[in-house]
Amino acid sequence: MSPILLIVDDEKPTRDGLRMALDETFDVYVAADLTQAREVLKSENVDLLLTDLRLGAESGMDLIEEALALPKPPVAVMMTAYGSVDTAVEAMRRGAFHFVTKPLNLDEVENLLQKAARSRKLEKQNIELKTENVRLRKKALRLLLASTVFWANPTPFAA
């Protein structure tokens, strides 16, 4: 199953170009603004979010904050044609996994998104293993307590 990628950009050629370049590797959804992006984030379990900084009068920074507040937040990558060190630092401070500048190198973006998807997969596996570890520890403790009670109270058949 391919990771779900949401691309958010107010420029249709950018959205369509990214979709065509990435749809063999990812299950791609696109949105032109925050409203469309929110709808996709509510209806799909998005693994990766690639958003432009400037979305008309709206901000990709706001979208990243909203997306990262979800119960299962996607890994967020910010892209912009207006890149500066301050903007990159702010995006990372708000939780972005990475920051890329336009014009985009599609191979680099695909590699970055694959790396982010692997990171997300490892995080999920780690959580699952921790949960299983807790379950097994509780089971072992119950068995230990049951055996302690058994040996402390010999059965009537032990003569």
Side-chain angles (χ1 to χ4, degrees):
M1 189 162 113
S2 298
I4 297 176
L5 167 65
L6 172 57
I7 299 168
V8 186
D9 198 308
D10 59 335
E11 297 173 4
K12 184 172 175 27
T14 302
R15 281 193 317 271
D16 292 346
L18 285 167
R19 180 198 318 221
M20 287 180 3
L22 299 170
D23 70 354
E24 288 185 23
T25 308
F26 303 98
D27 185 6
V28 179
Y29 290 78
V30 294
D33 56 33
L34 293 186
T35 302
Q36 290 177 1
R38 286 180 187 118
E39 289 174 11
V40 174
L41 288 167
K42 285 180 186 173
S43 65
E44 300 296 329
N45 189 13
V46 174
D47 298 300
L48 305 162
L49 170 64
L50 177 62
T51 183
D52 195 10
L53 172 64
R54 295 185 182 176
L55 301 165
E58 300 172 315
S59 171
M61 295 274 194
D62 295 337
L63 180 60
I64 286 177
E65 282 188 350
E66 288 179 37
L68 294 180
L70 294 171
K72 294 183 180 179
V75 177
V77 176
M78 175 70 69
M79 62 180 168
T80 186
Y82 309 98
S84 71
V85 173
D86 291 341
T87 306
V89 168
E90 180 65 15
M92 303 297 267
R93 187 186 69 73
R94 292 194 188 196
F97 178 78
H98 209 284
F99 184 89
V100 293
T101 56
K102 293 178 181 179
L104 300 172
N105 176 319
L106 294 177
D107 289 333
E108 287 180 16
V109 170
E110 183 172 8
N111 288 336
L112 173 66
L113 291 170
Q114 287 176 333
K115 180 180 175 182
R118 281 191 303 273
S119 175
R120 173 51 44 94
K121 183 177 179 180
L122 289 173
E123 287 175 11
K124 286 180 180 179
Q125 287 175 338
N126 189 23
I127 290 168
E128 289 170 3
L129 289 171
K130 285 181 178 179
T131 302
E132 181 68 4
N133 186 15
V134 169
R135 187 188 69 75
L136 290 173
R137 284 174 176 250
K138 287 180 180 178
K139 183 177 180 179
L141 182 60
R142 282 193 304 272
L143 290 172
L144 179 63
L145 290 173
S147 68
T148 302
V149 169
F150 174 80
W151 290 109
N153 300 309
T155 62
F157 302 109

